[in-house]
């Protein structure tokens, strides 16, 4: 799996990282126990400050999506992904959005607006 | 022991050339140029510290040649540390950047047979130092830095001999070398990927690992050459007084003397090959760089 960070986006880079990783964990793309790259590796590859990636990891940890243990790095937490009902609703939302010509950015913007 | 001017002058020239070439490219945003420049700085630091050890030896003759003896390992450690400590300029951050979530490991830099050379050389060095440490003088003014033999009425002593006086600092320098190698490998793992494909991103990291391992091996081989050379002088003394030994002293002396010269020559050839290969590392990075 790859992460994309767009420095031209109004969304802060740490939030872009957090969103993508949270989405991958909840969708089951990243499974429990999967190791995330070290903060400094990801920061170097994305051309970001280590603190930016560290903030994204900290927020994921606060949301109990990942756990960080000394010597074992940061791993996806041992918890189930989103419930089947939520995943099914997400699929329906994506399908409906595509039919209306909404791209991913549009879908996320709509979700953000509705979420408040 | 003093190094002759005709050898010292080329060494100073080589050190300056490597350091200048390294500094020119070190701030480049091009990954190939930056990696090559940092490796040139590592090699330049190595040669410069070796030259400096001769200067310290000349300034402090009361240390009985200890600066020269410890120099090669400290030089290798300093060179490798320079690679690991000097900052690499970050990748341009404009536009969208993509990174793989694959976790890179040290095995990708120094995996396979990369560490066989330095580990084997270190093993032989430790074995030789233990042997010379056990045969060196254990009492008196020359404890740990001379060897003496007594056979009948005949007695002789030779110094410098690689006993504990020289052996312990050499082992401490080897530990520093190991530490700097660990830091540099870690740093290489964390350098930005030039491609998300491990088959493309991996070769240049391995090439950097091999260059760092060659610098470490050269430092240890220079130690080994010096230790064997000094030991051969000591065994010559034992041969002169005709002390009975399991292996004739003359045979040991010749074997150690030849091995010492071969080892030093091997270290110098290895450094020369590494310098040539460093340019290839830069080309490998440049050839594999792909927009991300």
């Amino acid at each position: 799996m790859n992460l994309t960070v767009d420095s031209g986006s109004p969304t802060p880079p740490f939030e872009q990282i957090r969103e993508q990783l949270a989405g991958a964990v909840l969708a089951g793309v990243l499974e429990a126990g999967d190791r995330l790259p070290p903060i400094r590796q990801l920061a170097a590859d994305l051309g970001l400050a280590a603190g930016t990636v560290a903030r994204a990891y900290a927020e994921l940890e606060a949301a109990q999506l990942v756990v960080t243990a000394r010597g074992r790095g940061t791993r996806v937490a041992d918890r189930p992904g989103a419930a089947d009902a939520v995943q099914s609703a997400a699929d329906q939302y994506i399908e409906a959005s595509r039919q209306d010509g909404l791209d991913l950015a549009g879908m996320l913007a709509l979700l953000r607006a509705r979420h408040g | 022991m003093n190094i002759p001017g005709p050898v010292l002058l080329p060494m100073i020239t080589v050190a300056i050339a490597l350091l200048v070439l390294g500094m020119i490219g070190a701030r480049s945003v091009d990954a190939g140029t930056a990696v090559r420049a940092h490796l040139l700085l590592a090699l330049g630091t190595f040669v410069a510290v070796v030259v400096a050890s001769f200067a310290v030896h000349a300034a402090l003759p009361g240390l009985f040649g200890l600066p020269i003896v410890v120099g090669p390992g400290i030089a290798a450690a300093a060179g490798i540390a320079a690679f690991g400590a000097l900052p690499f300029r970050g990748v341009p951050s404009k536009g969208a950047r993509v990174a793989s979530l694959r976790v890179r490991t040290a095995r990708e830099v120094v995996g396979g047979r990369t560490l066989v050379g330095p580990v084997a050389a270190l093993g032989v060095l430790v074995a030789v130092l233990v042997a010379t440490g056990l045969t060196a003088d254990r009492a008196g003014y020359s404890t740990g830095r001379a060897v003496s033999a007594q056979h009948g009425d005949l007695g002789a002593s030779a110094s410098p001999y690689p006993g504990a006086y020289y052996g312990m600092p050499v082992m401490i320098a080897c530990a520093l070398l190991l530490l700097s190698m660990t830091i540099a490998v870690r740093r290489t793992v964390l350098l930005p990927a030039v491609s998300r494909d491990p088959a493309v991103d991996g070769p240049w990291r391995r090439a950097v690992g091999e260059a760092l391992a060659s610098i470490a091996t050269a430092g240890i081989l220079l130690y080994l050459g010096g230790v064997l050379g000094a030991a051969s002088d000591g065994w010559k003394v034992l041969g002169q007084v005709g002390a009975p030994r399991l292996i004739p002293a003359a045979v040991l002396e010749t074997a150690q003397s030849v091995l010492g010269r071969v080892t030093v020559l091997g270290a110098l050839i290895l450094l020369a090959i590494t310098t040539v290969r460093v340019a290839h590392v830069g080309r490998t990075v440049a050839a594999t760089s792909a927009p991300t």
Side-chain angles (χ1 to χ4, degrees):
Chain A
M1 181 193 164
N2 296 322
L3 275 186
T4 305
V5 169
D6 185 356
S7 59
S9 165
T11 309
F14 85 87
E15 181 60 19
Q16 294 180 46
I17 296 170
R18 192 203 64 77
E19 270 180 5
Q20 290 173 65
L21 288 176
V25 172
L26 291 171
V29 176
L30 289 174
E31 296 176 351
D34 281 355
R35 190 174 171 194
L36 299 184
I39 288 169
R40 287 173 62 197
Q41 177 189 318
L42 196 55
D45 288 357
L46 291 171
L48 299 170
T52 304
V53 179
R55 183 172 174 187
Y57 276 24
E59 298 212 358
L60 289 166
E61 195 166 4
Q64 297 182 328
L65 292 174
V66 301
V67 285
T68 303
R70 195 172 179 83
R72 295 190 69 235
T74 302
R75 291 175 186 272
V76 176
D78 190 13
R79 50 163 282 168
D84 288 347
V86 177
Q87 291 206 24
S88 174
D91 290 341
Q92 287 175 21
Y93 172 63
I94 291 168
E95 185 59 35
S97 300
R98 280 183 179 150
Q99 283 174 4
D100 279 0
L102 267 182
D103 61 4
L104 179 61
M107 292 181 218
L108 291 173
L110 182 57
L111 277 175
R112 231 179 255 120
R114 295 298 295 267
H115 188 270
Chain B
M1 181 190 172
N2 286 312
I3 194 165
V7 176
L8 199 56
L9 199 61
M11 283 177 74
I12 293 172
T13 308
V14 167
I16 292 172
L18 289 170
L19 290 172
V20 168
L21 283 172
M23 280 188 274
I24 288 172
R27 289 181 57 78
S28 173
V29 291
D30 174 65
T33 306
V35 167
R36 182 174 60 236
H38 280 70
L39 286 173
L40 286 174
L41 282 172
L43 285 162
T45 304
F46 181 106
V47 181
V49 174
V50 168
V51 171
S53 71
F54 281 98
V56 174
H57 166 65
L60 301 169
L63 291 176
F64 303 104
L66 191 60
I68 297 178
V69 174
V70 180
I74 298 290
I80 292 169
F83 181 87
L86 291 170
F88 277 79
R89 206 165 161 188
V91 288
S93 56
K94 284 185 177 175
R97 289 198 55 82
V98 185
S100 167
L101 284 185
R102 191 180 65 84
V103 178
R104 293 194 289 270
T105 64
R107 203 175 275 271
E108 292 173 48
V109 179
V110 286
R113 287 177 290 180
T114 308
L115 290 180
V116 168
V119 168
L122 186 61
V124 175
L125 176 65
V126 170
V128 172
L129 280 176
V130 168
T132 54
L134 290 173
T135 49
D137 287 354
R138 295 183 194 177
Y141 174 68
S142 58
T143 298
R145 56 184 175 80
V147 63
S148 302
Q150 190 78 33
H151 182 55
D153 292 336
L154 287 173
S157 182
S159 181
Y161 185 78
Y165 179 82
Y166 298 107
M168 289 308 288
V170 163
M171 292 314 299
I172 291 169
C174 285
L176 284 176
L177 184 55
L178 194 66
L179 179 68
S180 66
M181 187 74 186
T182 305
I183 293 169
V185 168
R186 176 81 183 137
R187 184 65 197 272
T188 308
V189 169
L190 295 175
L191 287 177
V194 297
S195 167
R196 295 189 299 279
D197 182 356
V200 176
D201 190 55
W204 74 266
R205 283 183 209 277
R206 274 195 297 281
V208 169
E210 283 165 10
L212 295 174
S214 294
I215 293 173
T217 307
I220 298 169
L221 285 180
L222 285 175
Y223 271 158
L224 197 53
V227 167
L228 288 171
S232 72
D233 290 342
W235 286 103
K236 185 190 281 182
V237 171
L238 301 189
Q240 283 167 355
V241 296
R245 294 279 159 177
L246 193 61
I247 304 170
V251 174
L252 273 177
E253 176 215 331
T254 307
Q256 288 179 334
S257 178
V258 170
L259 276 173
R261 287 164 205 268
V262 168
T263 308
V264 169
L265 188 64
L268 297 177
I269 291 172
L270 186 60
L271 277 177
I273 291 172
T274 304
T275 306
V276 173
R277 277 188 175 173
V278 161
H280 182 69
V281 173
R283 282 200 294 273
T284 306
V285 182
T288 55
S289 290
T292 51

